[in-house]
Amino acid sequence: MARIRGRSWGPPGRWFAGRRPDSRRERREARPASGVPAGRRWRSVTSSRSVAGQMFVLQVLLVLLLVVAAVVTLLLQARSDRFQAARDRSLAAAEGFAHGPGLPETLRGPDPAAVLQPLAESARRQGGVDFIVVMNRDGIRYSHPDPSQIGHHFVGTIAPSLAGHVTVEEVNGPLGKELQVVVPVTDRGRVVGMVASGLKVSSVSSAVDQQLPVVVGAGAAALALATAGAGLLSRRLRRQTHGLGPAEMTQMYEHHDAVLHAVREGVVIVSGDGRVVLANDEARRLLDLAPDAEGRPVDALGLDPRMAELLCSGRVVTDEVLPVGERLLAVNNRPTDRRGGPPGSVATLRDSTELRALAGRAEVARGRLRLLYEASVTIGTTLDVRRTAEELTEVSVPGFTEYATVDLAEPVLRGEEPSTTVGSEAPELRRVALTGLRDDHPLYRAGEVHRFASPTPQATGFVSGEAQLVPDLAASAGWRTQDPERTQEIIDYGFRSMITVPLKARGVLMGIANFWRTQDSEPFEEDDLSLAEELSARAAVCIDNARRYTREHAMAVTLQHSLLPRGLPEQEALDLAYRYLPAQAGVGGDWFDVIPLPGARVALVVGDVVGHGLHAAATMGRLRTAVQNFSSLDLPPDELLGHLDELVGRIDMESEEEASVAGATCLYAIYDPVTGTCSMARAGHLLPALVSPDGAVEFPELPPGPPLGLGGLPFEAAELRVPPGSSLVLYTDGLVEDRTRDVDAGLAILADTLGHPDRTPQQTCEAVLGALLPPRQTDDIALLVARTRVLDSDRIATWELPSDPAVVARARSEVTRQLTEWGLEETVFTTELILSELITNAIRHASGPIGVRLLRGRALICEVSDTSSTSPHLRYAAAEDEGGRGLFLVAQLAERWGTRYTAGGKVIWAEQPLM
């Protein structure tokens, strides 16, 4: 450190003063310049081989460029000023003439040109412009400096002026290239004409050209003065550098720059007599040295006594930590005379305080990374918009801020896409989440609806889509415009700074997130803005996912509800109640139905399509429609499930690219209130529950059937006798099965809940859901409770007749007597006619005994049974036909009629409404 290439350390001046010329050239150039001829001195100054010569050439080139640039700038500015002055003069003349009183009336006069030409010429001369042209809306001139141009079309653009705007342009007109202004003439808000005024471009250019010699002359004089000054400066530089070339100068200073400026350490060199020989910039900063510290004694610099003693002692120390003001400096000191160098010492200084500050900043960065990691695993755990917003605020407090709020547009909460913001207004927002250290704050509470005023940072950020930082709330005038009283309460409470970030994802602007800090922490800085944006960006994507899921879920639920029964049909066989709850995390394919059947019977259906989403809901609708259609054929439960199985198989074949619906389950039951029996069959569905009148609960064993869609396996039906007052409970697996509970446990809870026969079906539904409904429902739930009734025996009449035409008359008389007992005399004639036709058809087309049954309920049902399996068909008889009108009459007289098959034949029934 004592010497570098044989040169002693010290300021450049001292180094030159103490250096011995070691070559003939250097000794010659070191002579005084007074003995050198002037021409030779000038050539040495301008020589490009020396630093002085290169500096002279460089200075002259720079000055030349500056002079040229100044001249060009002055010329352009002068031209621009002339054009602006010409524009202003033309605009003033045109607007003055256009706004003159009586001009609209003159334009509507019989001969506007005769009146306006002299006035325009007078105004042109007084205004100092080349032309003033008055024209109508079609651009026909009424005035012009050249009278021959009157009546011709104006040359220029008039469309903006017809719309009420002022037009400024350059055109090639009758007078040459012109700068013109077109001003509209209005009358009561309507443009009735236009006035154009302007100057020829040549008039403007000539004024600029007159200034050109003066500007060029001034530039030449400035160049000459600058060249002379550069020569004087170069001579002085040559004397100071002793004529050294650039390579020698670079070699001399390369080590100096490397040591002093390439390291982030302070360097102080102290001579043997205790004076500062050299101190680099870092040492000046760390020791707070005065600008003239070099050459002064160390004791006179006002340093800390321990630091001054160490620098003057020359002793060897390594990383000794000394306090200097508010800093802790690690000092290394070494003597400079170890290898024959001059006496003294060199010390290096390193700021350990800043190292600790760097460590603190690294810890802050690690904390932010931890916060972002927590946000990535915490935000978006559900597909609920409100919960996702709450997760953003919870993860931000207290690690990043003391209070955090989220405001969303109302459509977002419904799953819709918010409308685009118009102008500078923010839409109405609802606060959906708020988390803070305390609850007595004056901020808007969760659930409140508000609209931020335009000057507020929230509105500015929402409209612009950019995050806004307010480091000092008390000094923010725009923020106070929202609600002066509330904002003052917020400041008085202790809030000091805020960051508001718009929540935007996939181009959808949904709301804003606000982060608040109080006086208990440091205000927000620019570094905090990026962290807030990152947190909000992650939350915005999750909120948008939840919004889109909410929309799709609402659509699926709407579709699902549209496919389910909207009410229970009228019937008198069962007292019914039902509940249907769609899943919270996606709709499924559960369904139920209640279908009235002939003979006062009722069909109960419960089914479940495996899977979730729109496809499952749509498939459920198709299956429910199919069950209704098949039930109109009055098929037994096992045959109906067989047809339904074939349908599901066809649906699977049609849905090659969709999820297969194989695995759909169904339970179909038919209850007959006349016999008190229930026939049931199931396709992979859970067993129903049967609650007897005494409260005993059982799950009757039904023949198992495969799920719908598998095909190839038959279905079997079972018939149960159900006492009056019993309850049939049909349900789907979502009621008894859950992630935290298996089916057996759910069935046990269901059995315990159903063991209360005193409850009504409605109360039973409430009790079952209260006992089995999980906290978070992941599957659809369908529940159907049916309490059985039976028809009284006095409302049923039956007869068995032989297959003899003579019994028709006896049947009529029996029916007439029975209807009279029931008080249904008004239906006697119609009923006699219907039964006569049905009995006659049975005698003619069947064999064996004939059964007749009358049922009086909500309707009067007439049934005729025989042993034949041939179904009658309705047809229209021709005019000459003697028969074929029986079923036609039955269809006309009865509200409904049909055929159902039994094990021993068939039953033809007809139903008449009872008023």
Side-chain angles (χ1 to χ4, degrees):
M1 297 292 292
R3 293 178 179 270
I4 298 178
R5 295 180 181 268
R7 300 166 186 171
S8 62
W9 284 86
R14 298 181 185 177
W15 188 89
F16 283 121
R19 185 173 183 270
R20 177 184 177 186
D22 52 2
S23 66
R24 180 181 301 174
R25 172 176 172 271
E26 289 178 336
R27 288 195 299 271
R28 181 174 63 252
E29 291 182 351
R31 297 172 184 172
S34 57
V36 182
R40 188 175 177 181
R41 289 200 307 269
W42 179 255
R43 286 193 302 271
S44 65
V45 168
T46 59
S47 174
S48 61
R49 280 183 281 178
S50 65
V51 174
Q54 292 182 2
M55 289 298 297
F56 173 77
V57 174
L58 180 61
Q59 286 177 334
V60 171
L61 291 176
L62 288 176
V63 171
L64 179 61
L65 291 175
L66 290 175
V67 169
V68 172
V71 171
V72 173
T73 302
L74 288 174
L75 291 176
L76 293 177
Q77 184 63 38
R79 179 178 177 82
S80 176
D81 291 343
R82 294 295 298 177
F83 269 91
Q84 184 64 31
R87 175 192 175 280
D88 294 343
R89 186 188 304 173
S90 301
L91 180 61
E95 287 187 338
F97 199 92
H99 297 157
L103 182 57
E105 290 77 9
T106 304
L107 290 173
R108 289 193 295 266
D111 190 3
V115 178
L116 294 176
Q117 172 65 11
L119 296 175
E121 286 301 297
S122 176
R124 176 183 66 80
R125 290 188 292 272
Q126 294 177 3
V129 296
D130 290 340
F131 63 91
I132 293 180
V133 175
V134 184
M135 69 194 86
N136 60 11
R137 289 179 56 87
D138 297 328
I140 303 301
R141 299 189 184 96
Y142 290 148
S143 66
H144 195 274
D146 185 2
S148 63
Q149 298 296 325
I150 296 176
H152 295 281
H153 278 280
F154 175 74
V155 178
T157 303
I158 63 174
S161 300
L162 290 175
H165 303 291
V166 175
T167 304
V168 180
E169 61 181 350
E170 289 186 20
V171 298
N172 289 318
L175 301 179
K177 193 172 184 181
E178 304 165 341
L179 174 67
Q180 62 185 17
V181 176
V182 181
V183 176
V185 179
T186 60
D187 184 16
R188 299 177 181 176
R190 181 176 177 272
V191 177
V192 298
M194 291 161 287
V195 176
S197 176
L199 295 172
K200 292 179 290 185
V201 175
S202 58
S203 301
V204 179
S205 301
S206 61
V208 175
D209 296 340
Q210 294 174 1
Q211 300 176 358
L212 184 59
V214 178
V215 174
V216 173
L223 178 60
L225 292 175
T227 303
L232 294 176
L233 291 176
S234 298
R235 287 187 60 190
R236 182 175 180 84
L237 180 61
R238 179 179 177 278
R239 288 197 301 269
Q240 291 179 348
T241 59
H242 296 273
L244 293 176
E248 294 173 338
M249 294 290 293
T250 301
Q251 183 180 9
M252 183 182 66
Y253 282 107
E254 62 183 5
H255 293 288
H256 183 274
D257 291 339
V259 173
L260 297 184
H261 304 294
V263 296
R264 286 290 296 170
E265 290 186 352
V267 178
V268 179
I269 300 178
V270 180
S271 64
D273 57 358
R275 294 180 178 273
V276 177
V277 177
L278 183 142
N280 68 348
D281 294 340
E282 185 69 7
R284 294 175 183 272
R285 185 182 70 84
L286 296 177
L287 299 176
D288 195 18
L289 298 178
D292 58 347
E294 292 181 353
R296 295 175 58 186
V298 174
D299 298 337
L301 298 178
L303 299 177
D304 182 89
R306 286 179 292 178
M307 176 64 72
E309 186 274 332
L310 176 60
L311 294 178
C312 295
S313 66
R315 57 188 174 91
V316 177
V317 297
T318 301
D319 291 335
E320 182 175 338
V321 179
L322 297 177
V324 177
E326 297 180 354
R327 297 186 177 94
L328 291 177
L329 303 183
V331 184
N332 292 276
N333 196 42
R334 297 290 187 272
T336 59
D337 56 357
R338 288 184 175 183
R339 298 180 183 179
S345 63
V346 56
T348 60
L349 314 173
R350 187 172 64 256
D351 190 352
S352 61
T353 306
E354 293 189 357
L355 293 178
R356 275 187 276 186
L358 284 174
R361 287 196 291 271
E363 182 62 29
V364 171
R366 284 194 295 269
R368 291 183 174 180
L369 289 176
R370 285 195 300 269
L371 182 62
L372 291 176
Y373 171 75
E374 293 176 4
S376 65
V377 299
T378 302
I379 300 175
T381 58
T382 66
L383 287 173
D384 183 79
V385 173
R386 295 179 183 271
R387 182 55 194 155
T388 305
E390 292 172 355
E391 290 170 346
L392 170 61
T393 61
E394 291 170 359
V395 79
S396 303
V397 177
F400 176 61
T401 183
E402 284 87 358
Y403 293 86
T405 62
V406 174
D407 305 325
L408 298 177
E410 288 287 352
V412 176
L413 301 177
R414 300 191 298 268
E416 303 171 4
E417 190 167 310
S419 59
T420 305
T421 303
V422 179
S424 59
E425 290 189 6
E428 193 173 68
L429 302 176
R430 180 180 294 274
R431 179 145 296 173
V432 297
L434 188 153
T435 302
L437 299 181
R438 294 166 54 186
D439 195 44
D440 58 346
H441 54 80
L443 299 174
Y444 288 120
R445 300 288 172 169
E448 291 189 49
V449 178
H450 51 272
R451 184 189 298 273
F452 288 108
S454 298
T456 60
Q458 292 92 334
T460 302
F462 189 91
V463 173
S464 65
E466 301 291 337
Q468 303 293 318
L469 168 63
V470 184
D472 188 0
L473 290 174
S476 176
W479 175 70
R480 289 176 173 268
T481 59
Q482 174 67 20
D483 187 345
E485 295 182 2
R486 184 185 290 268
T487 53
Q488 186 60 45
E489 292 178 5
I490 292 174
I491 293 175
D492 296 339
Y493 184 82
F495 288 93
R496 68 184 305 179
S497 62
M498 177 190 68
I499 290 178
T500 179
V501 184
L503 297 174
K504 185 177 182 180
R506 302 181 183 92
V508 178
L509 194 58
M510 300 171 291
I512 55 174
N514 301 306
F515 305 93
W516 310 77
R517 282 187 180 176
T518 63
Q519 301 290 344
D520 298 333
S521 60
E522 295 296 325
F524 284 117
E525 300 176 350
E526 291 294 333
D527 292 342
D528 299 315
L529 189 63
S530 60
L531 179 58
E533 289 176 333
E534 181 66 23
L535 289 173
S536 301
R538 298 190 180 195
V541 173
C542 295
I543 290 175
D544 187 56
N545 289 339
R547 176 191 67 82
R548 298 170 68 182
Y549 169 77
T550 302
R551 179 189 60 191
E552 295 176 1
H553 181 68
M555 292 171 57
V557 169
T558 302
L559 172 63
Q560 189 180 44
H561 280 290
S562 67
L563 298 175
L564 290 170
R566 299 188 179 182
L568 296 177
E570 294 183 355
Q571 48 80 36
E572 53 187 351
L574 299 169
D575 184 9
L576 294 167
Y578 70 93
R579 293 292 186 274
Y580 186 86
L581 300 177
Q584 298 178 4
V587 298
D590 294 15
W591 91 93
F592 70 96
D593 211 345
V594 178
I595 307 171
L597 297 177
R601 297 169 303 147
V602 178
L604 303 177
V605 191
V606 171
D608 182 5
V609 176
V610 176
H612 293 82
L614 291 175
H615 180 69
T619 304
M620 174 269 291
R622 298 177 68 177
L623 295 183
R624 177 174 176 256
T625 302
V627 170
Q628 289 182 332
N629 292 333
F630 292 146
S631 65
S632 65
L633 301 176
D634 211 347
L635 299 174
D638 52 344
E639 293 185 22
L640 186 142
L641 291 182
H643 289 293
L644 197 62
D645 180 64
E646 294 178 1
L647 173 64
V648 174
R650 288 196 298 271
I651 293 177
D652 282 345
M653 294 178 62
E654 296 171 358
S655 307
E656 295 181 356
E657 298 181 359
E658 300 289 342
S660 174
V661 298
T665 64
C666 183
L667 173 64
Y668 188 81
I670 298 177
Y671 175 70
D672 189 346
V674 177
T675 61
T677 58
C678 183
S679 177
M680 292 183 283
R682 65 186 179 117
H685 203 80
L686 294 174
L687 293 172
L690 177 60
V691 184
S692 62
D694 60 358
V697 180
E698 62 174 323
F699 297 92
E701 289 294 334
L702 301 179
L708 300 174
L710 297 183
L713 297 176
F715 298 95
E716 297 182 32
E719 187 172 285
L720 305 176
R721 181 164 295 278
V722 182
S726 300
S727 294
L728 281 171
V729 181
L730 283 67
Y731 52 90
T732 57
D733 59 354
L735 179 67
V736 295
E737 187 178 11
D738 187 52
R739 293 178 179 176
T740 60
R741 181 181 62 214
D742 59 15
V743 176
D744 294 336
L747 291 176
I749 297 174
L750 177 62
D752 293 340
T753 308
L754 293 176
H756 298 273
D758 54 330
R759 292 173 179 165
T760 65
Q762 292 287 353
Q763 293 172 342
T764 302
C765 288
E766 295 296 334
V768 169
L769 291 180
L772 291 170
L773 189 65
R776 179 164 180 81
Q777 182 184 343
T778 59
D779 195 6
D780 291 1
I781 294 177
L783 174 64
L784 184 62
V785 178
R787 180 158 295 173
T788 61
R789 302 171 183 166
V790 293
L791 288 180
D792 297 334
S793 58
D794 59 352
R795 300 171 65 184
I796 305 172
T798 60
W799 299 274
E800 186 171 342
L801 305 175
S803 181
D804 185 359
V807 302
V808 176
R810 182 164 64 88
R812 288 181 179 177
S813 61
E814 292 290 338
V815 168
T816 302
R817 181 184 58 80
Q818 184 64 54
L819 294 177
T820 303
E821 291 181 3
W822 286 345
L824 302 176
E825 292 84 355
E826 68 276 4
T827 64
V828 170
F829 176 76
T830 304
T831 306
E832 285 183 349
L833 187 56
I834 292 174
L835 283 176
S836 297
E837 294 297 335
L838 295 181
I839 294 173
T840 302
N841 282 339
I843 294 173
R844 180 176 300 175
H845 300 289
S847 62
I850 298 172
V852 177
R853 185 170 70 170
L854 288 181
L855 303 177
R856 181 173 67 88
R858 301 180 64 88
L860 179 62
I861 303 172
C862 304
E863 297 180 346
V864 175
S865 60
D866 57 50
T867 58
S868 174
S869 60
T870 303
S871 176
H873 297 283
L874 179 66
R875 67 186 181 88
Y876 296 93
E880 64 275 6
D881 290 345
E882 296 182 359
R885 297 178 178 85
L887 287 180
F888 179 77
L889 290 175
V890 172
Q892 295 298 314
L893 295 174
E895 184 180 43
R896 294 191 305 159
W897 76 279
T899 304
R900 73 172 182 270
Y901 294 93
T902 63
K906 67 177 181 296
V907 176
I908 303 177
W909 56 271
E911 185 176 303
Q912 303 175 66
L914 295 179
M915 304 303 293

